[in-house]
Amino acid sequence: MTQRINYIQQSPELFKKFLEFSTLLKSGAIEEPIRDLVSIRASQINGCGFCLDMHVKEAHIHGERALRLHHLATWRESTLFEPRERAALAWTEALTKLPEHGVADDIYERVRTQFSEKELSDLTFEVMAINAWNRANVAFKTVPGSADKAFGLDKANLA
């Protein structure tokens, strides 16, 4: 695959601000394992090879079990995810594939049983951010693994 343009070089100030936004999310109310799962699941749905590669490596570095990563695409059938993780994944899917008539009340209510209002707000920003990154990297065909050294992902030893 050949990258179309390097959006980081073309829009460095926008990239810098968006990276700051994404970095700020790490200090939010959502714990790292759920952030990893959300990023991977949205990237799977959006077909973003660059982000999927990046976030699988990050999750591995963060200690996520390989089997859970393999089960993520079929999380509804898997017994490896806790109710809070399932709620986050349902919310991720609903916001990534926005239904024509909005997010259903039953999904919202299910998520609200697992997350406080602050957590749900932060989770929503997490989903917004990964979807934006997915769109940029899909649009410009960013090559998976091309930023591993810059982001320290070579430490995952998954190549």
Side-chain angles (χ1 to χ4, degrees):
M1 178 167 76
T2 303
Q3 186 167 334
R4 291 178 171 156
I5 67 170
N6 185 323
Y7 66 91
I8 298 168
Q9 290 175 349
Q10 297 303 313
S11 305
E13 288 302 314
L14 293 173
F15 172 78
K16 180 182 175 189
K17 292 297 182 185
F18 197 59
L19 187 59
E20 287 174 13
F21 169 77
S22 295
T23 301
L24 185 60
L25 290 170
K26 293 178 182 181
S27 64
I30 303 303
E31 56 272 27
E32 183 175 76
I34 288 182
R35 288 196 318 268
D36 289 337
L37 295 176
V38 163
S39 294
I40 294 167
R41 186 63 190 126
S43 298
Q44 288 174 334
I45 293 166
N46 290 322
C48 184
F50 178 84
C51 292
L52 183 59
D53 178 81
M54 171 183 277
H55 295 293
V56 164
K57 289 172 181 172
E58 282 183 337
H60 181 75
I61 289 168
H62 297 154
E64 185 57 77
R65 294 185 353 228
L67 187 58
R68 282 173 36 101
L69 296 175
H70 290 295
H71 279 226
L72 193 50
T74 58
W75 62 269
R76 284 179 179 80
E77 291 80 30
S78 177
T79 59
L80 300 179
F81 300 97
E82 299 298 322
R84 183 173 168 88
E85 294 168 326
R86 291 175 175 283
L89 292 168
W91 192 247
T92 299
E93 289 185 0
L95 296 183
T96 299
K97 304 182 290 187
L98 280 172
E100 183 177 339
H101 300 290
V103 177
D105 289 340
D106 65 319
I107 292 174
Y108 175 76
E109 292 304 326
R110 185 166 117 208
V111 174
R112 283 287 292 128
T113 66
Q114 297 296 320
F115 293 91
S116 70
E117 288 184 4
K118 164 70 169 143
E119 291 170 331
L120 183 53
S121 180
D122 284 5
L123 177 61
T124 301
F125 278 104
E126 290 283 348
V127 176
M128 290 165 48
I130 190 57
N131 276 283
W133 286 117
N134 287 168
R135 279 146 181 78
N137 288 300
V138 167
F140 300 123
K141 293 187 173 183
T142 309
V143 178
S146 61
D148 281 5
K149 286 189 180 185
F151 290 109
L153 301 175
D154 49 339
K155 295 175 189 149
N157 296 319
L158 292 177

